[in-house]
Amino acid sequence: MIRSTHAVRAAALAGAAALVLAACGGSGDSGGDATDSASAAGSTDPLIVGTLLPQTGSLAYLGPPEIAGVGLAIKEINEAGGVLGQDVVQEDADSSDADHAEVATQSVTDLLSKKVQVIIGAASSSVTLNVVDDITAAKVVQISPANTATKLSGYSPFYFRTAPPDTVQGAALGNLITGDGHSNVGILVFNDDYGTSLRDVVEKTVEDAGGTITYGKKGQEFDPAASSFDSDITALLATNPDSVVVLAFEQTKQIIPALVGAGVDPSTIYLVDGNTADYSADFQPGTLEGAQGTIPGAFPSDEFQAKLKTVDANLKDFAYGPESYDATILAALAAVKGKGTDGTTIQKNLAAVSGANGGEECSTFKDCVALLDDGKDIQYKGQAGVGPFNADNDPSSAFIGVYKYGADNKNVWVKAVEGSVK
């Protein structure tokens, strides 16, 4: 999920192609009349934003840009006068990964004890599914910058995300594969909500285009905790695919060398946001040359990357930094619009400040607050380039970046496609 630093968001937008598809998931409700158990309705206490993002575990490389995105947003909010005249407070907690579920559970308990009204996270859909009920039952707003599992669409009135569901990335990936001329696609997918959700959409997209999934259908997932994936790779190769999709996390470091060693042309390998990483220190030169991957989100501009580095000077990767930043700005604007920092007030106003009801466009917290103070409706246009929240609290549109690997096993941004969620 590590993005190249040699392209700009403007280029991404200019190169975007339309991709329209229907989203799966239950109906959501952006409204609600529940009372906040953590703070009184209409509270003007200082806004406390908690982060539930990976500091440890297999997704720890995602944590720094996401945490920096929240930190940058809060820095700019406070420089503009804060929320309702008071500085916003940031409380960070570790989400780890799905294999260490107890970490996120304890972190949520700790964050709720600190009276947070908003939690940004988790990065992993599986982690969110383990804790979302505890968060939303407390009438605390949860906004994930990276969850993509389709089963989270419309999950709760208090759950939102600034990353698109897998219907967008899965369709973009499926169209990329078939557009490259492949028609017999093998999928190595781990038995995880994230992997199977993506697999289902890729499978449908490929088959709708006249292609065939030779391996990786339901019941052919691999155990993510296995020590070896050789038998899965052998089974896949026995079906003679002309391309291979790898839907996994850190297991990819074992799978790729095995595939290439078995004769698979790396230019026929496709990855996704969970494993489109920098493998220059892991593989021999040329191992992934020509392979492609997709990552949701508009490519962050050089200017925005520089701003993130003012929060974390050691940042090298920027995946989901824009989505984390936007999630925080939107939460703060919802509190300003509703004139309350409690979770219920924020929840009731999030869709509105995202532009669900139309309104005047604005791109900074300061400018958006000025419009709200003038009694105007707004549409926040953030760094991630997503559309307003829809009825399922998903972004109504989003960009998917396409990346390609060079001989150094590093990925470079190539283009972006735009997907609409309806």
Side-chain angles (χ1 to χ4, degrees):
M1 301 180 73
I2 299 175
R3 304 182 179 195
S4 161
T5 59
H6 303 294
V8 296
R9 180 170 178 265
L13 299 178
L19 170 67
V20 180
L21 58 152
C24 301
S27 61
D29 181 5
S30 61
D33 57 5
T35 57
D36 190 343
S37 65
S39 56
S43 170
T44 56
D45 291 339
L47 177 61
I48 306 173
V49 176
T51 68
L52 183 67
L53 296 166
Q55 300 174 22
T56 62
S58 60
L59 298 180
Y61 70 98
L62 286 178
E66 293 173 329
I67 295 169
V70 175
L72 175 61
I74 290 176
K75 175 184 176 184
E76 293 181 355
I77 291 166
N78 290 342
E79 288 174 349
V83 171
L84 304 179
Q86 300 182 88
D87 280 354
V88 178
V89 177
Q90 180 174 345
E91 294 284 355
D92 295 329
D94 184 18
S95 67
S96 192
D97 56 29
D99 292 332
H100 302 89
E102 72 283 355
V103 175
T105 300
Q106 183 58 53
S107 290
V108 168
T109 299
D110 293 344
L111 289 173
L112 294 179
S113 73
K114 294 176 180 178
K115 306 300 183 184
V116 300
Q117 302 98 328
V118 178
I119 290 178
I120 308 298
S124 162
S125 295
S126 294
V127 170
T128 286
L129 287 165
N130 285 335
V131 299
V132 62
D133 291 337
D134 293 333
I135 295 170
T136 58
K139 301 300 183 287
V140 169
V141 172
Q142 179 178 0
I143 313 176
S144 172
N147 288 167
T148 58
T150 53
K151 67 171 59 178
L152 284 166
S153 292
Y155 189 92
S156 164
F158 281 80
Y159 173 82
F160 296 76
R161 54 182 163 188
T162 50
D166 286 327
T167 45
V168 181
Q169 182 180 193
L173 180 61
N175 287 330
L176 175 66
I177 294 167
T178 57
D180 287 344
H182 301 300
S183 58
N184 295 301
V185 184
I187 303 176
L188 284 172
V189 54
F190 62 168
N191 193 12
D192 175 274
D193 288 318
Y194 164 78
T196 56
S197 177
L198 262 174
R199 183 272 314 278
D200 292 346
V201 182
V202 172
E203 179 179 351
K204 183 177 187 304
T205 304
V206 169
E207 291 180 344
D208 285 351
T212 300
I213 301 299
T214 66
Y215 183 84
K217 289 178 171 288
K218 186 175 182 180
Q220 295 178 317
E221 302 87 0
F222 67 81
D223 179 1
S227 59
S228 172
F229 310 104
D230 291 346
S231 61
D232 303 284
I233 293 170
T234 298
L236 176 140
L237 295 178
T239 65
N240 297 313
D242 59 20
S243 54
V244 177
V245 180
V246 181
L247 303 179
F249 290 149
E250 76 280 1
Q251 302 88 356
T252 305
K253 293 180 181 180
Q254 291 178 255
I255 291 172
I256 293 299
L259 285 172
V260 174
V264 174
D265 182 345
S267 69
T268 66
I269 294 175
Y270 295 83
L271 308 178
V272 286
D273 59 319
N275 55 7
T276 300
D278 180 344
Y279 293 105
S280 57
D282 302 296
F283 301 152
Q284 292 294 317
T287 300
L288 267 177
E289 187 171 8
Q292 297 179 80
T294 54
I295 301 176
F299 192 86
S301 68
D302 289 342
E303 178 184 5
F304 186 67
Q305 291 179 29
K307 287 183 177 181
L308 287 173
K309 285 188 172 183
T310 66
V311 177
D312 184 348
N314 296 318
L315 275 185
K316 295 180 181 179
D317 314 316
F318 302 92
Y320 296 112
E323 289 79 7
S324 300
Y325 173 90
D326 288 348
T328 310
I329 295 290
L330 283 164
L333 290 172
V336 172
K337 179 175 175 58
K339 296 181 173 56
T341 55
D342 56 283
T344 298
T345 297
I346 293 169
Q347 180 267 331
K348 286 181 177 179
N349 289 279
L350 263 171
V353 297
S354 76
N357 304 323
E360 191 167 335
E361 292 185 3
C362 51
S363 59
T364 69
F365 177 78
K366 182 177 181 179
D367 289 346
C368 290
V369 168
L371 292 173
L372 289 173
D373 287 345
D374 287 340
K376 297 180 179 179
D377 290 330
I378 65 169
Q379 179 176 351
Y380 171 67
K381 301 290 286 185
Q383 293 291 328
V386 301
F389 290 122
N390 63 15
D392 284 337
N393 295 343
D394 290 333
S396 54
S397 64
F399 288 96
I400 304 295
V402 176
Y403 296 75
K404 193 169 188 177
Y405 282 88
D408 59 358
N409 299 315
K410 294 182 180 181
N411 64 78
V412 177
W413 181 88
V414 176
K415 63 181 179 178
V417 294
E418 185 177 11
S420 296
V421 183
K422 294 183 178 179

